[in-house]
């Protein structure tokens, strides 16, 4: 899932490209502080002429993507819409992370 994330003062906006999927193919839920996006589609079209594919690039199957949103964000806080193959999600900022410059590094052993 190709994704762009835009940050505003009080929210994040995700743009996820899902060409070939329908709104009914998409499921979103929150689990342990993660927003989980699941998209599933199948090739159920019948070919009356029983032809065979000589080249096929369209994706059929299932894909999942997750984003950490924090434990304070609830399902009712998130707004989503799907239009022209793009899933647009608005996520409010609930957690404030202090001391962004206070980096801690992990030592790498030999």
């Amino acid at each position: 899932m190709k994704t762009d994330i835009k940050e505003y003062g009080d929210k994040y906006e995700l743009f996820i490209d899902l060409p070939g999927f329908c709104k009914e193919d998409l499921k979103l839920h929150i689990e342990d502080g993660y927003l989980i996006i699941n998209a599933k589609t199948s090739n159920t079209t019948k070919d009356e002429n029983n032809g065979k594919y000589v080249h096929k690039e369209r994706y059929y199957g299932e894909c999942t993507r997750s984003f950490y949103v924090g434990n304070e964000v609830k399902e009712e806080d998130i707004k989503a819409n799907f239009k022209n193959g793009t899933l647009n999600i608005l996520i409010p900022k609930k957690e404030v992370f202090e001391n962004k410059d206070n980096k801690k590094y992990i030592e790498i052993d030999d």
Side-chain angles (χ1 to χ4, degrees), residues 72-102:
E72 286 76 23
V73 176
K74 305 297 179 208
E75 285 88 352
E76 58 269 10
D77 298 330
I78 297 174
K79 305 293 182 223
N81 65 51
F82 186 70
K83 186 175 181 183
N84 296 328
T86 300
L87 178 62
N88 181 265
I89 304 171
L90 290 173
I91 304 168
K93 289 183 183 179
K94 293 277 185 162
E95 287 187 359
V96 177
F97 295 103
E98 297 294 328
N99 298 325
K100 289 183 180 179
D101 295 333
N102 189 9

Side-chain angles (χ1 to χ4, degrees), residues 14-74:
L14 281 68
F15 304 92
I16 303 173
D17 287 342
L18 294 163
F21 289 87
C22 299
K23 178 182 169 184
E24 296 75 28
D25 297 333
L26 309 176
K27 301 285 185 237
L28 285 75
H29 71 279
I30 292 182
E31 184 177 321
D32 298 326
Y34 285 87
L35 170 65
I36 299 171
I37 300 129
N38 183 272
K40 185 176 183 178
T41 187
S42 61
N43 184 9
T44 57
T45 57
K46 304 241 179 192
D47 188 0
E48 295 179 15
N49 296 329
N50 292 327
K52 67 177 184 174
Y53 286 102
V54 292
H55 184 78
K56 192 170 184 179
E57 292 184 359
R58 294 184 186 176
Y59 176 79
Y60 297 100
E62 185 173 358
C63 52
T64 301
R65 188 88 191 259
S66 63
F67 299 93
Y68 184 72
V69 296
N71 291 319
E72 286 76 23
V73 176
K74 305 297 179 208

